[in-house]
């Protein structure tokens, strides 16, 4: 493991990653020079931090997945009943996914670090779903791996919900979280 970056180097890396997300979301084929310009840095500085485009994409994947993991932790899922925890986690994750749409939807092969972060995210999600099942929110015989996949699909679909471009309130992570949780727990059928 390398030594920690100086504060100015950390700021540069953060600026590069944030600029890369914005630029690549608009043009997936954007050059490193375009990303450097958007970050307010020279191309040389970007190349000093990321040897090539693949290294930058891998760093984006790690950064976004770490932010997802942080969002789960910030929701303090163990400090509330499963329904409240599921709602808080969902709203936090939607905020991150909304900010990192390009990176989290891009099919970059996982580096070892990104794969480990994703495994942690999966584990925390299944733990939360297990709690939801034990508290009676999910059927006792529900397949939790399938439920996790459905939950992830609902998260992605919520961000791409038709009509949200006309109604800014419909993009609110709290509104979308309620929609995701309601659909996960009740589907499209009538509520009891």
């Amino acid at each position: 493991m390398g030594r920690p970056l100086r504060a100015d180097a950390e700021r540069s890396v953060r600026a590069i990653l944030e600029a890369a997300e914005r630029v690549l979301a608009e043009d997936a084929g954007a050059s490193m020079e375009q990303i450097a310009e958007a970050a307010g840095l020279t191309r040389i500085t970007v190349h000093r931090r990321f040897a090539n485009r693949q290294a930058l994409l891998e760093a984006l994947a790690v950064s976004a997945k770490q932010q997802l993991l942080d969002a789960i932790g910030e929701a303090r899922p163990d400090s509330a009943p499963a329904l409240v925890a599921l709602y808080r986690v969902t709203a936090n994750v939607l905020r991150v996914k909304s900010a990192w749409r390009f990176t989290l939807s891009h099919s970059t092969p996982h580096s070892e670090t990104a794969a480990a972060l994703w495994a942690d995210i999966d584990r925390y999600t299944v733990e939360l779903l297990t709690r939801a099942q034990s508290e009676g929110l999910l059927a006792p015989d529900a397949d939790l791996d399938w439920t996790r996949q459905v939950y992830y699909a609902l998260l992605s679909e919520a961000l791409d919900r038709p009509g949200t471009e006309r109604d800014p309130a419909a993009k609110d992570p709290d509104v979308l979280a309620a929609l995701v949780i309601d659909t996960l727990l009740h589907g499209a059928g009538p509520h009891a």
Side-chain angles (χ1 to χ4, degrees), residues 48-131:
R48 188 178 306 130
R49 301 291 171 228
F50 304 102
N52 54 44
R53 183 181 180 84
Q54 186 60 34
L56 175 60
L57 291 174
E58 288 174 6
L60 277 168
V62 167
S63 177
K65 286 170 181 58
Q66 183 61 58
Q67 288 183 48
L68 283 174
L69 203 52
D70 293 346
I72 292 167
E74 288 168 10
R76 299 180 329 272
D78 295 333
S79 69
L83 182 59
V84 173
L86 193 54
Y87 174 83
R88 289 192 315 213
V89 166
T90 301
N92 283 4
V93 165
L94 285 167
R95 285 181 182 89
V96 172
K97 286 180 71 72
S98 179
W100 296 90
R101 288 175 77 117
F102 169 81
T103 300
L104 292 171
S105 65
H106 194 265
S107 60
T108 302
H110 286 298
S111 66
E112 190 174 310
T113 304
L117 290 168
W118 193 252
D120 287 344
I121 292 165
D122 281 346
R123 184 173 44 78
Y124 286 126
T125 302
V126 171
E127 286 175 8
L128 183 52
L129 293 173
T130 301
R131 280 187 49 220

Side-chain angles (χ1 to χ4, degrees), residues 11-23:
R11 280 191 300 275
S12 291
V13 168
R14 191 171 39 255
I16 293 164
L17 294 175
E18 289 171 359
E21 174 64 30
R22 286 190 316 273
V23 170

